[in-house]
Amino acid sequence: MANNSDPSFDDLAIFLAVCGAGGFRRAAKQLGLSASHVSETISRIEAQLGVPLLARTTRSVMPTQAGRALAERIAPLLLDARMAVREVVGADKALRGALTLNVTGAVMVDILPPLIDRFLLAHPGVRVEIQVEDRLVDITAAGCDAGIRYGEHMAQDMIAVPIGPASQQLALAAAPGYLARRGMPAHPDEVLQHDCVRMRFSSGALTQWSFAQDGKTLTLDPPARLVVGVDAAAAAIGLACAGHGLICTFRNWLDPDLAAGRLVPVLEDWWLAFEGPRLYFPSRRMPPPLRAFVDLLAAQR
């Protein structure tokens, strides 16, 4: 029958050590405790929980099904607890080190720079490096602490937290003078008959022009009169403002020119909405600069 009291964190840490070491004596040596103390601790936990956690033989000690399930659940929790204690202990010390991010160029226009500005002001002892590329890379192999990508271009086994707006739109626009000469498209298909200012990723692929309405999504590949690399997006938008054709890109990139009247919304009912970017990293065992940056993002939200 289970004891009403719960195992302490210290006892659970001993249980994890036995699971990892595969025996009481090896775990005791690693922990600097006596084998009898370790054995008594495991017996106490089992009595408290009312279920055997370890299968003992003359040659080895192996976790039972319940033991494996418990170890899998508590291992990350105890790690987080240790990290929290270390952070509190070092809270009065100036944060130092480096934060290296690998990001898509889309976040460098107006999403990431103000966040980095706040981060640098809050942590003057931290050095920041931002690698900008549109291809999805292995951030660990690239020596980066974290990456920033949109959902469809993010590895599925990563921890991810929102950064910037929760949602964005793909907007189509053109200069008033251009629309006066060529007319306003009434349907996305009519875009194919217009001059278009397209942008190209560093991989060589053109950015997609996608539209959505009533649950239907339409992706076009219109002929480009002008192609500009995404690294020079501001120049592409400026040329669209000068009347050289339709442009389709992030709405937040176009908002200043839409507000000033340099550009006019086109097919606004068809603008595609999508999730905003996310910061991703491979483990909760974050180095202190990355932890501080994630905390800043949480405070912003």
Side-chain angles (χ1 to χ4, degrees):
M1 187 173 182
N3 190 312
N4 288 332
S5 62
D6 293 326
S8 68
F9 282 136
D10 288 341
D11 286 356
L12 291 174
I14 291 174
F15 163 68
L16 286 178
V18 175
C19 290
F24 295 119
R25 291 186 182 280
R26 285 191 292 272
K29 185 175 181 180
Q30 292 173 4
L31 297 171
L33 301 172
S34 68
S36 60
H37 176 75
V38 171
S39 179
E40 290 168 2
T41 299
I42 299 302
S43 296
R44 181 169 59 252
I45 296 173
E46 291 176 326
Q48 289 171 321
L49 299 180
V51 61
L53 300 176
L54 297 171
R56 303 157 174 83
T57 69
T58 55
R59 294 187 177 182
S60 65
V61 175
M62 297 292 292
T64 63
Q65 183 176 355
R68 284 194 298 272
L70 179 63
E72 290 172 359
R73 292 291 300 275
I74 65 174
L77 299 177
L78 289 176
L79 177 61
D80 284 347
R82 291 192 185 103
M83 293 292 290
V85 170
R86 291 171 187 168
E87 288 171 6
V88 169
V89 170
D92 60 341
K93 300 177 182 178
L95 184 65
R96 298 190 180 280
L99 174 65
T100 304
L101 303 175
N102 185 287
V103 311
T104 176
V107 301
M108 291 303 298
V109 175
D110 56 0
I111 293 176
L112 186 58
L115 292 171
I116 294 297
D117 176 52
R118 295 187 191 101
F119 182 75
L120 291 173
L121 291 174
H123 304 289
V126 176
R127 178 174 53 84
V128 175
E129 178 179 346
I130 301 172
Q131 300 175 2
V132 182
E133 56 184 309
D134 294 297
R135 292 172 294 181
L136 183 62
V137 301
D138 183 336
I139 56 174
T140 302
C144 300
D145 298 301
I148 300 176
R149 290 294 186 279
Y150 287 84
E152 68 274 16
H153 297 139
M154 195 166 58
Q156 296 302 308
D157 59 346
M158 293 285 174
I159 297 166
V161 296
I163 179 170
S167 65
Q168 293 179 256
Q169 279 186 306
L170 195 61
L172 183 68
Y178 172 84
L179 293 173
R181 295 194 311 272
R182 300 292 301 274
M184 175 74 75
H187 187 275
D189 287 342
E190 296 181 16
V191 170
L192 300 175
Q193 309 306 318
H194 280 259
D195 293 339
C196 297
V197 179
R198 302 285 304 272
M199 283 186 267
R200 192 185 297 279
F201 291 117
S202 55
S203 65
L206 291 167
T207 60
Q208 284 190 337
W209 285 30
S210 296
F211 306 88
Q213 189 178 80
D214 299 328
K216 177 183 177 182
T217 301
L218 179 63
T219 298
L220 302 178
D221 185 22
R225 185 180 182 204
L226 174 66
V227 178
V228 180
V230 292
D231 291 341
I237 295 170
L239 289 163
C241 291
H244 294 290
L246 302 174
I247 188 166
C248 184
T249 189
F250 294 95
R251 175 180 177 169
N252 49 299
W253 290 9
L254 301 180
D255 274 340
D257 296 300
L258 290 169
R262 291 183 291 268
L263 291 175
V264 174
V266 177
L267 297 174
E268 193 167 1
D269 291 343
W270 283 87
W271 287 2
L272 176 72
F274 54 93
E275 287 188 352
R278 291 175 176 265
L279 176 83
Y280 71 97
F281 43 92
S283 171
R284 294 190 185 278
R285 303 177 191 179
M286 292 178 275
L290 178 57
R291 164 61 71 183
F293 188 65
V294 171
D295 289 344
L296 182 144
L297 297 182
Q300 289 293 117
R301 292 197 299 274

